[in-house]
Amino acid sequence: MCLHATAQRSRVSSRNQRTAPDSAKADNKGSVSKQKQLYLLDSAEIKTLTEEQLQTSQVGFMNTVKDPFTLFKLGYGKYDSVTFIFTKHYLKLSPELKNIPSQARLDKRKNNRYYFRGEMYTGKVIDYYYSGDIKEEGYYEEGLQKGPLKRYDINGILTLHTVSVADTLDLEGASTDSAGNVYYRWKYVLPGMVLVSEYYYPNGSIKKRVQLHQYGTITTKYLSSGLMTDSSSRIRTSGGPETEKTKTTERRERLLKIDEYAAALKREPGNPEIYLARAYYRLKNLEFDMALEDVNTCISLEPQEPDYYGERALMPVYKAAYFDTDDRLKKKDVLNYLANHPNINIPPAKRTAMMEDLKKAAGPFSSDKVFKELYKYLKSINF
């Protein structure tokens, strides 16, 4: 059982309690007020359920406190119940390591500095995966990040994240792979409250720039050659958001919507996204080999895009799933399907090629979580 199910069960239990006369809290009008619950996982508040699922086998201790006096003594008097969850890994940590807070336990204030237990924090931070592997580690000085924050993804791939504060209080940061190659850069300009985010290809050329300001968002996309492929703006107006796109983008989207791929390619023969769209159209029509050809064309047109290698890795799975079990898989279904069909009919040579492609797609220059999770799983079963 995962944390999500445990939390849901706890919430159901609380709802049942509120139906009882002696546990219901009523306001002046006699209506029942909503109870306030808090979940603490390894001493950190759980504000949202994380993508990493906590399994029952990883839990070392779990207890829910509902007694008002006990909650008050613990400093949680404003809550109706607090559930404390500790992983087995956390319970085994030394007292020294337990005293090092995770990033989640730091409190960011309006001055862009981080506090811990009410004081501006100076010291180490370490975050762990539920398995015990290190997720993040870094150092703060007077509430500001000092040096790079080391981050390890689910495959153990290291990335480095830096933040700096200018004299004008502008913030900027960059994320790099372990070799120092930048894949993401951002800057927050305080006077105009403008956030500029830039994403990069492995060769250092810009892939996408997003400019977010108080009036809306401007997004521009490029090929690694420097050719701009898309530009759009989403502006806030009194009548609601309005989106403006270039004529090229609007024309392409209109053609793809009605499956006019040949016409779209005639206008933009070098745009790999059109070939990718056609590949998925051909998959729907069970034209597996032709779909693979289109994805190969994507790679030949833009070899710097790691996601195209990930898309190619999925093609043998789509084909084998249909011929083996009549399943027409979608991208989000691939991992679950392979977990239930470990003996899928894919030859060893193709399996090797799949893993090579997924390795490229699982790196920091791709943000697609499907490829990262699939690569991790297939490695674990020696696919």
Side-chain angles (χ1 to χ4, degrees):
M1 182 181 294
C2 65
L3 175 62
H4 178 72
T6 304
Q8 279 189 327
R9 186 173 59 183
S10 179
R11 284 193 286 270
V12 170
S13 175
S14 298
R15 284 199 298 270
N16 292 338
Q17 277 196 331
R18 289 198 293 272
T19 61
D22 59 346
S23 62
K25 294 186 177 181
D27 57 21
N28 295 333
K29 297 180 181 179
S31 61
V32 178
S33 63
K34 186 177 181 180
Q35 288 196 348
K36 296 180 67 176
Q37 298 175 320
L38 176 67
Y39 296 90
L40 292 170
L41 175 58
D42 290 344
S43 299
E45 292 186 16
I46 305 176
K47 296 180 181 178
T48 58
L49 291 173
T50 62
E51 295 165 6
E52 184 195 5
Q53 295 294 320
L54 175 62
Q55 303 299 320
T56 304
S57 60
Q58 296 172 320
V59 175
F61 176 84
M62 181 174 177
N63 185 43
T64 299
V65 178
K66 298 181 180 179
D67 177 62
F69 181 70
T70 304
L71 289 171
F72 177 78
K73 287 180 62 178
L74 293 173
Y76 300 110
K78 66 179 181 179
Y79 295 98
D80 296 294
S81 69
V82 176
T83 298
F84 297 88
I85 307 170
F86 292 97
T87 60
K88 292 178 179 178
H89 156 72
Y90 183 85
L91 294 175
K92 293 178 181 178
L93 289 177
S94 66
E96 292 77 15
L97 287 176
K98 285 181 181 177
N99 285 330
I100 298 175
S102 64
Q103 186 86 9
R105 295 178 66 188
L106 299 184
D107 178 29
K108 187 178 181 181
R109 303 287 176 87
K110 290 184 178 180
N111 60 0
N112 289 315
R113 293 178 184 263
Y114 286 85
Y115 288 70
F116 182 56
R117 293 174 178 168
E119 296 184 359
M120 199 178 294
Y121 184 63
T122 294
K124 290 182 178 180
V125 291
I126 303 179
D127 287 76
Y128 298 91
Y129 286 104
Y130 302 144
S131 62
D133 295 330
I134 292 180
K135 186 176 185 179
E136 289 182 344
E137 57 181 338
Y139 188 84
Y140 281 80
E141 187 174 288
E142 295 185 351
L144 293 175
Q145 182 182 316
K146 188 78 171 179
L149 177 71
K150 296 180 180 179
R151 185 173 295 161
Y152 302 85
D153 73 0
I154 58 175
N155 290 298
I157 297 175
L158 170 65
T159 55
L160 305 173
H161 306 262
T162 58
V163 176
S164 60
V165 182
D167 294 336
T168 57
L169 295 182
D170 293 345
L171 289 172
E172 60 182 347
S175 299
T176 71
D177 62 12
S178 57
N181 300 306
V182 177
Y183 65 88
Y184 174 64
R185 193 189 305 274
W186 61 271
K187 184 173 183 178
Y188 184 64
V189 184
L190 280 179
M193 297 182 66
V194 178
L195 175 63
V196 179
S197 301
E198 294 180 340
Y199 302 82
Y200 294 85
Y201 289 104
N203 68 353
S205 58
I206 190 168
K207 180 194 297 188
K208 182 171 72 171
R209 178 183 286 112
V210 180
Q211 184 173 317
L212 177 65
H213 53 83
Q214 57 184 327
Y215 302 110
T217 307
I218 300 174
T219 304
T220 312
K221 298 179 181 179
Y222 304 86
L223 295 178
S224 62
S225 62
L227 177 67
M228 185 181 74
T229 58
D230 289 288
S231 181
S232 63
S233 59
R234 188 173 177 83
I235 309 299
R236 300 186 184 95
T237 66
S238 57
E242 294 183 1
T243 301
E244 295 182 1
K245 301 178 181 179
T246 63
K247 290 183 178 179
T248 300
T249 300
E250 288 183 343
R251 188 184 299 116
R252 181 197 320 128
E253 291 180 351
R254 187 166 59 248
L255 290 171
L256 296 185
K257 192 173 183 179
I258 59 175
D259 300 327
E260 289 290 343
Y261 302 100
L265 286 171
K266 187 175 181 180
R267 294 179 179 276
E268 298 177 82
N271 191 330
E273 287 298 304
I274 300 176
Y275 285 95
L276 183 62
R278 190 172 70 175
Y280 273 90
Y281 172 77
R282 286 175 162 172
L283 282 176
K284 287 195 299 184
N285 292 319
L286 307 180
E287 298 171 340
F288 299 105
D289 293 339
M290 296 181 72
L292 177 59
E293 287 181 12
D294 277 342
V295 176
N296 281 330
T297 302
C298 291
I299 294 174
S300 64
L301 289 173
E302 185 49 272
Q304 292 294 318
E305 177 52 74
D307 286 350
Y308 295 151
Y309 295 92
E311 298 288 355
R312 184 168 67 180
L314 302 184
M315 292 294 152
V317 182
Y318 294 138
K319 184 176 182 178
Y322 179 74
F323 285 108
D324 287 356
T325 58
D326 290 330
D327 282 293
R328 297 193 182 201
L329 298 183
K330 293 184 178 180
K331 186 175 178 179
K332 62 181 180 63
D333 304 322
V334 170
L335 179 57
N336 187 55
Y337 182 86
L338 289 175
N340 292 315
H341 301 83
N343 297 319
I344 188 171
N345 186 23
I346 297 178
K350 286 189 176 181
R351 293 188 179 212
T352 300
M354 280 178 59
M355 293 302 290
E356 291 175 354
D357 280 342
L358 282 174
K359 184 177 181 179
K360 295 177 182 178
F365 287 90
S366 170
S367 58
D368 197 312
K369 294 168 185 171
V370 171
F371 301 142
K372 299 177 189 293
E373 292 172 354
L374 184 58
Y375 182 61
K376 178 184 179 181
Y377 171 71
L378 294 181
K379 277 200 311 180
S380 70
I381 63 171
N382 295 318
F383 185 77

